[in-house]
Amino acid sequence: MSSIKSFPTKRGKARFTEEYVYFEESFSGYIKSLYRDYWQRGTRWSSGAFVAYLFAFPIGVWWVVNAARSGNFLYIAVIGGSMLVLWGANYARGFRSPDRIRFDTIEQVSATDGMKGLTRPQLIIKYTDAGTTCKRRVNLPSLYTDSGEAVYEQAQEAFTERGF
C-alpha cells in the first residue's frame, strides 16, 4: 500500500485512489494555495506577493473593460489571439487537462525541478487516451514557498511508489 495519498499542486491538490490519480484544481483552489503558501508564511515579501497575485486578475479585467469601452479592440485582439495561439500550440503538442487519469494508461512520469525565480517544479504525465498519446502538466508550488522543494520530492515519491 502506498503511503502518499495526495500532494498539493499550484491550483489545488492531486489525490490518489487504487485506480486513478485525481486532480482537484480550480480558481478557488489556486487562491487557497496562494493563501497557504504566501500569506500564512507571514513575511513581508510573501504577503506582498500574495496581495500582488490577488490584484493582478482584477486589474487585468479592468484593463480589458477599459480597452473595450474606449474602442481599442486591437489590443484585445492581439492579447486574445496570442493566448489562442499558445493554447493551440500546447494542444498540438499533446497537452490535455483531464481531471483524472487511470494508472493503467500512464506510460511515463517525468519531473522537472524548476529554477528558483524562473520556473516552478512540474510533473509531465504521459498517458494514452483512446489510442492517442497525451500529456498532462502538473505544476507544483513555487520554490519560493516553504514547502516547494518538499512537495516536489513528495510528488516524485508518490509516483515512484506506484511504479512510475
Side-chain angles (χ1 to χ4, degrees), residues 39-57:
W39 187 261
Q40 287 185 335
R41 191 171 181 187
T43 65
R44 286 184 187 195
W45 180 90
S46 62
S47 297
F50 176 73
V51 170
Y53 271 115
L54 284 183
F55 281 111
F57 182 73

Side-chain angles (χ1 to χ4, degrees), residues 89-158:
N90 242 3
Y91 192 84
R93 291 174 47 209
F95 283 97
R96 308 293 185 269
S97 296
D99 290 338
R100 66 181 183 177
I101 302 173
R102 284 184 66 89
F103 286 125
D104 59 358
T105 64
I106 296 176
E107 297 173 5
Q108 178 186 8
V109 178
S110 59
T112 306
D113 57 0
M115 186 180 298
K116 196 170 188 173
L118 228 66
T119 59
R120 66 177 55 241
Q122 67 179 356
L123 302 174
I124 304 291
I125 303 171
K126 196 177 201 180
Y127 65 98
T128 56
D129 183 23
T132 305
T133 300
C134 300
K135 295 178 244 178
R136 169 66 152 95
R137 181 179 289 116
V138 181
N139 287 315
L140 301 173
S142 170
L143 294 174
Y144 279 113
T145 63
D146 288 338
S147 62
E149 290 181 28
V151 169
Y152 175 65
E153 292 170 8
Q154 182 184 22
Q156 285 181 303
E157 182 65 27

